Amino acid sequence: MNKVYGLEALLRWNHPKKGILAPSKFLHLAEQTGELDDIGNIAVEQALELLVDLSQQRLNDVVININVSPRQILNEMTFTIFQRLVEKYRQDASNIAIEIPDFTLYKNNQVFRRNLIKIKTLGFKLAIDISTTDYDVMDLVERFQIDMIKFNKDFFKLEQNYNFRKYLDMIIEFVKKKSLMLVAEGIEDQAMVEMLTLKGVDYGQGYHLTKPMNVVDTTQFLKARKELEK
């Protein structure tokens, strides 16, 4: 887990009176007012802008993960907006992974599936998050052409459970066979890094690896890591 593979975009609201607010403090309001789609579109555009800056510094060999609401995928206009953004910034969409919370709740929705496959044709990677031993995940990978499976941080609370360990081994074997990405979220200490490495989980994210950073600090961080990798 020494090489930087990608980044995850974090959403914060710099409130004029309350300061920096986490998504849990305002996303429900954005959903009620219908502004959640706009927030998702802005996130994708800012990621493409960042890729332009990184490419100019030869630092664009990273994937940026963006959490997008299922509601946005159900919007027929999302594909058109994403297409225009990709054409505007002329960046490889495969450098962006669209990550969708509560993915399994929409797996049988035909509009959701159709729109997601259309977005996939633009080149975007697709990521799903799992927090329980969901045996449908392998079917979802096939049906939706998923590129990345992410273990939610709560997933590892099941570590002492025998069925969990067998499930994890099965997913790791499946991922390697399909040449997919397997990412563990919520890395809290070096012991967890070593456990995952031993099991064959090659990618992880969490505060133990790096704290959240703004764009300027992220660019400097990538430059420093690139020098170390030479």
Side-chain angles (χ1 to χ4, degrees), residues 97-134:
I98 303 297
E99 185 175 338
I100 304 162
D102 301 322
F103 191 99
T104 56
L105 297 179
Y106 295 84
K107 62 185 178 183
N108 294 321
N109 186 304
Q110 293 303 311
V111 175
F112 179 85
R113 182 183 182 187
R114 182 181 69 247
N115 290 347
L116 201 57
I117 295 300
K118 286 173 63 179
I119 290 171
K120 176 77 174 176
T121 65
L122 296 174
F124 289 100
K125 286 183 169 62
L126 298 180
I128 57 174
D129 212 11
I130 57 176
S131 57
T132 61
T133 51
D134 184 358

Side-chain angles (χ1 to χ4, degrees), residues 71-82:
R71 169 178 167 165
Q72 187 173 356
I73 302 301
L74 289 169
N75 187 336
E76 299 284 358
M77 283 300 297
T78 296
F79 168 77
T80 302
I81 293 170
F82 283 10

Side-chain angles (χ1 to χ4, degrees), residues 28-225:
H28 63 288
L29 297 175
E31 187 163 12
Q32 292 172 11
T33 60
E35 296 178 338
L36 198 57
D37 288 7
D38 291 335
I39 291 174
N41 294 332
I42 290 171
V44 171
E45 181 160 20
Q46 289 187 339
L48 287 165
E49 288 179 344
L50 176 58
L51 286 174
V52 171
D53 292 339
L54 294 179
S55 65
Q56 293 172 349
Q57 302 177 65
R58 298 184 179 181
L59 298 170
N60 59 328
D61 55 341
V62 294
V63 172
I64 302 176
N65 273 57
I66 300 173
N67 281 273
V68 172
S69 165
R71 169 178 167 165
Q72 187 173 356
I73 302 301
L74 289 169
N75 187 336
E76 299 284 358
M77 283 300 297
T78 296
F79 168 77
T80 302
I81 293 170
F82 283 10
Q83 184 179 42
R84 289 173 180 170
L85 290 174
V86 170
E87 292 173 351
K88 175 181 177 181
Y89 291 97
R90 299 180 181 179
Q91 292 298 302
D92 187 349
S94 67
N95 285 109
I96 294 179
I98 303 297
E99 185 175 338
I100 304 162
D102 301 322
F103 191 99
T104 56
L105 297 179
Y106 295 84
K107 62 185 178 183
N108 294 321
N109 186 304
Q110 293 303 311
V111 175
F112 179 85
R113 182 183 182 187
R114 182 181 69 247
N115 290 347
L116 201 57
I117 295 300
K118 286 173 63 179
I119 290 171
K120 176 77 174 176
T121 65
L122 296 174
F124 289 100
K125 286 183 169 62
L126 298 180
I128 57 174
D129 212 11
I130 57 176
S131 57
T132 61
T133 51
D134 184 358
Y135 288 88
D136 285 342
V137 69
M138 290 178 287
D139 177 57
L140 295 178
V141 166
E142 300 287 356
R143 287 169 55 194
F144 291 91
Q145 303 173 32
I146 302 298
D147 302 282
M148 182 186 301
I149 297 174
K150 301 187 73 177
F151 285 139
N152 184 285
K153 62 182 180 180
D154 294 332
F155 187 74
F156 292 97
K157 293 178 181 178
L158 306 171
E159 187 179 350
Q160 302 305 318
N161 183 286
Y162 172 79
N163 290 331
F164 162 80
R165 294 197 299 272
K166 296 296 290 183
Y167 177 79
L168 179 58
D169 291 341
M170 181 191 70
I171 291 296
I172 291 171
E173 182 179 350
F174 173 75
V175 163
K176 291 187 180 300
K177 180 179 178 181
K178 295 291 183 179
S179 299
L180 307 176
M181 295 288 302
L182 182 62
V183 182
E185 297 181 310
I187 305 295
E188 298 176 352
D189 51 44
Q190 186 60 29
M192 195 170 181
V193 172
E194 293 170 0
M195 182 270 289
L196 292 168
T197 302
L198 187 63
K199 284 186 171 293
V201 180
D202 298 324
Y203 300 92
Q205 68 180 70
Y207 278 25
H208 175 68
L209 301 177
T210 182
K211 300 295 190 294
M213 295 178 286
N214 59 31
V215 171
V216 174
D217 290 342
T218 297
T219 303
Q220 294 302 317
F221 174 79
L222 291 175
K223 283 182 178 179
R225 292 306 296 251

Side-chain angles (χ1 to χ4, degrees), residues 8-38:
E8 178 156 354
L10 299 178
L11 180 65
R12 298 292 183 268
W13 180 12
N14 190 3
H15 192 281
K17 294 182 179 179
K18 299 181 179 181
I20 304 298
L21 299 180
S24 60
K25 300 294 185 181
F26 62 87
L27 279 188
H28 63 288
L29 297 175
E31 187 163 12
Q32 292 172 11
T33 60
E35 296 178 338
L36 198 57
D37 288 7
D38 291 335

